[in-house]
Amino acid sequence: MMIKKFLFISGLALFCNANAQATHTVAKGDNPYSIAKKYGLSLDELMKMNPSAKDGKLAIGDVVNVNKKGKATVAPKKTPAEKPVPTKTNTAIITGKIILQPKQTIYGITKQYHISEAELRALNPNLDANMKIGTEITLPATNIKKYGSGQPVTETVVKPVAQEVQSVVADSYEVQPKDNYYRITKQFGITKEQLFALNPGLEARGLQPGDILKVKGTAAPGVREVREEAPTRTITQNPGEEYATYTVQEGDTVFGILNKFGISLDDLLSLNPSITGGLKTGAVLKIKKLDAAYVKKSGNALNVVMMLPFGFDTNDTKFRGLATDFLAGAKLAIERNARNGLEMDVKIIDAGNEESFKNSLVQLNKENTDIIIGPFLKSNVLEVLKYVNAKQIPVVAPFANAEDLYNYSNLIIVEPADNLFAERIAKEVAQVHTGQKIFILADSGNKNAAELRSQLEKNLPKPNVVIVNSAADMIAEKNMMTGKPAPLIAVLTSDDDGAGTAFANRVIALSKETNVKAFSMFYNSIFEKNMDELSQANLVYLMDRKINTDGDFEKEILAEYKKKYCKSPSKYAVIGFDVMNDVLMRENKRGEIFKQIGKVQTQLSTKFEYVRSKKNGAYINTGYRVVRLVP
């Protein structure tokens, strides 16, 4: 205990002495990050105090202001005779820990606790992977005490190893109020992906006026640490075991927690023996043990396997064109992520057809595969899941979506379920329904139409619903009192292009006779061609795969694809790019894709927003966009 007190006092003295200094003479190896760290400043504060140095270029001998009360200036550099010696950092820092609460973000933490993102990441090297509710986040103890609303602090003495900080210069830029990604990337000749790579967390929080962004070069290195930690009361876990956890909130009771999670008192006590002494606000409780997650065996390269139905061995060309297009888009995504530093070994396996698929499984190395993309058919996906079940290798199904897949915790389903669209359209209809007759234009199978009718019957009291297979059968009945055509609601549940065209034309004609409210579960190109006419019916449609051709990112990808293949991407090339790029942006060299699975991402045409189908079940994409046409 005496040693810890001494370290605390000496560290505080060093900190105070550094801040008492008004200026700092730049030495070999100095950079903005290391200077700010030395004097207890955030990078933003240092740059605001020295605006002429905001580009990040500091020369040996420059004098920078490090006193918040001093004048913001960079003095002329000294003569060569006054060249200083390299600076070494050796300051003790007192840190504490907070428990990550629901809805807390990296950006929110930096703002609440008045710490820069660079400083936060230096104290928490694996920050992105650890942003889970209940996780401990390390922060300067003084910041927690000052801005943490009375939150208890577990203090730790962090003593950086004395070392010469390597000279790493990263050009920086202060975000202006009217800036956007396109303007910044064009100004500095970098891509949006490179900007995100240089500024971790930027994509999630967005551009904020006054932020200092790195726009070139390499991020400043963190300081190696030796920690002498005070005892903590954190609940420990056995190596290799993961648990669903819950952070106790003020006012919680044991009975309430049991009801909330549907568990028994015996189970809760067996995982958390300490609660016999009472619940403590902020304590992290284990709720239940999770299924074993995939653990990468070795190596830094991510081992990716794609199983695509080329059918070369079986001379089956049924899906060959689709598979070839999918691969073309996926290759573009692979190349982009490789340029951004992700190491990958990619293997392509010909999945053949349903009859020959089992023969392709023997090409799959269960001992050295980090993720599998494909196959396309549901029956094949099931066989792969059973084959790799013991290893829990993550499997991404681009097109298959069925309830018998939902029990597999290592499965990621890209294709949203149709009932998701039916639920949304039913809610949209319910908002405008005032007794009108509802026509549902269905395809030959009537599956989506039946699901929508079921949803409408749940949301509305005795709705008058008629399912038709021809747009011509949607007819406005005459009002018996006025003799005029009665208002109606028209809904399209087919993704067939012909049905979509017929639906649009019929809605346009009906809107000239009476009040029509139109809805569609799927996008059709005719909707954009007839926006003015369909807006008279207030058409609302859902879109799960449509490229925003006005977007900077989309323009860049389309141009890159055309340069590579001398043509525009087909529908399945776009899907191939979206699936592969989304996967690789969630992955890391440890193959921990599920740590980033909750992040919402929109690629070229697809929005990815995953939720679990059930407890410890598959992850299903629920992402789509709602388009409303108004007069």
Side-chain angles (χ1 to χ4, degrees), residues 279-322:
L279 287 178
K280 295 184 178 180
T281 301
V284 180
L285 302 182
K286 297 177 186 176
I287 301 302
K288 67 173 183 177
K289 187 174 179 180
L290 297 175
D291 290 345
Y294 173 72
V295 178
K296 185 174 175 62
K297 307 302 181 297
S298 62
N300 290 329
L302 190 69
N303 294 289
V304 181
V305 169
M306 297 182 69
M307 304 189 76
L308 307 177
F310 292 108
F312 291 116
D313 293 337
T314 57
N315 199 28
D316 187 342
T317 62
K318 183 177 180 181
F319 297 111
R320 187 173 300 171
L322 184 156

Side-chain angles (χ1 to χ4, degrees), residues 107-412:
Y107 179 69
I109 292 171
T110 62
K111 292 302 179 186
Q112 178 180 350
Y113 292 97
H114 295 249
I115 181 173
S116 71
E117 184 172 332
E119 292 168 323
L120 180 64
R121 290 184 179 280
L123 291 171
N124 301 272
N126 299 316
L127 184 63
D128 291 322
N130 291 329
M131 288 297 288
K132 295 180 179 178
I133 296 171
T135 299
E136 289 185 334
I137 302 295
T138 301
L139 295 169
T142 53
N143 295 52
I144 299 177
K145 291 175 180 177
K146 188 172 182 180
Y147 306 110
S149 303
Q151 185 167 353
V153 183
T154 301
E155 293 185 350
T156 301
V157 179
V158 179
K159 186 171 63 176
V161 175
Q163 63 175 25
E164 181 174 334
V165 181
Q166 298 299 312
S167 177
V168 183
V169 177
D171 291 350
S172 59
Y173 173 73
E174 183 174 349
V175 178
Q176 302 302 310
K178 294 184 179 180
D179 273 340
N180 55 43
Y181 294 130
Y182 180 76
R183 181 180 299 173
I184 294 173
T185 55
K186 291 305 177 186
Q187 180 178 345
F188 293 97
I190 58 176
T191 65
K192 191 190 294 186
E193 287 70 27
Q194 289 170 328
L195 183 66
F196 291 153
L198 287 168
N199 300 274
L202 173 62
E203 184 179 9
R205 71 174 185 272
L207 292 172
Q208 303 293 328
D211 278 358
I212 304 296
L213 300 182
K214 295 181 181 69
V215 290
K216 284 183 182 178
T218 309
V223 179
R224 291 182 291 119
E225 296 178 351
V226 176
R227 295 192 174 198
E228 181 183 343
E229 299 196 3
T232 65
R233 297 185 178 182
T234 306
I235 299 171
T236 58
Q237 296 180 185
N238 295 326
E241 292 184 338
E242 291 192 17
Y243 296 84
T245 61
Y246 174 70
T247 303
V248 178
Q249 308 295 312
E250 187 175 354
D252 274 344
T253 64
V254 172
F255 182 74
I257 292 172
L258 298 180
N259 281 342
K260 182 181 182 71
F261 295 100
I263 57 176
S264 69
L265 180 59
D266 287 342
D267 289 342
L268 187 66
L269 287 172
S270 65
L271 291 174
N272 307 277
S274 63
I275 66 171
T276 54
L279 287 178
K280 295 184 178 180
T281 301
V284 180
L285 302 182
K286 297 177 186 176
I287 301 302
K288 67 173 183 177
K289 187 174 179 180
L290 297 175
D291 290 345
Y294 173 72
V295 178
K296 185 174 175 62
K297 307 302 181 297
S298 62
N300 290 329
L302 190 69
N303 294 289
V304 181
V305 169
M306 297 182 69
M307 304 189 76
L308 307 177
F310 292 108
F312 291 116
D313 293 337
T314 57
N315 199 28
D316 187 342
T317 62
K318 183 177 180 181
F319 297 111
R320 187 173 300 171
L322 184 156
T324 302
D325 285 354
F326 187 94
L327 178 60
K331 283 178 65 178
L332 188 65
I334 291 168
E335 291 167 1
R336 288 177 62 85
N337 282 272
R339 289 198 299 270
N340 288 332
L342 183 62
E343 294 182 52
M344 290 168 281
D345 287 330
V346 182
K347 181 178 181 180
I348 313 296
I349 295 178
D350 185 351
N353 55 32
E354 286 189 274
E355 290 73 26
S356 66
F357 180 73
K358 287 186 178 180
N359 297 331
S360 66
L361 286 176
V362 297
Q363 302 176 52
L364 189 60
N365 183 355
K366 291 186 286 186
E367 302 301 324
N368 194 30
T369 297
D370 297 319
I371 192 160
I372 301 167
I373 297 178
F376 289 175
L377 303 178
K378 187 199 80 171
S379 59
N380 297 161
V381 172
L382 281 169
E383 290 184 67
V384 171
L385 289 166
K386 292 172 183 176
Y387 187 73
V388 302
N389 181 57
K391 303 294 183 181
Q392 286 293 293
I393 299 172
V395 177
V396 180
F399 302 110
N401 186 327
E403 288 192 16
D404 49 349
L405 296 171
Y406 292 176
N407 292 323
Y408 295 87
S409 61
N410 57 323
L411 178 62
I412 300 171

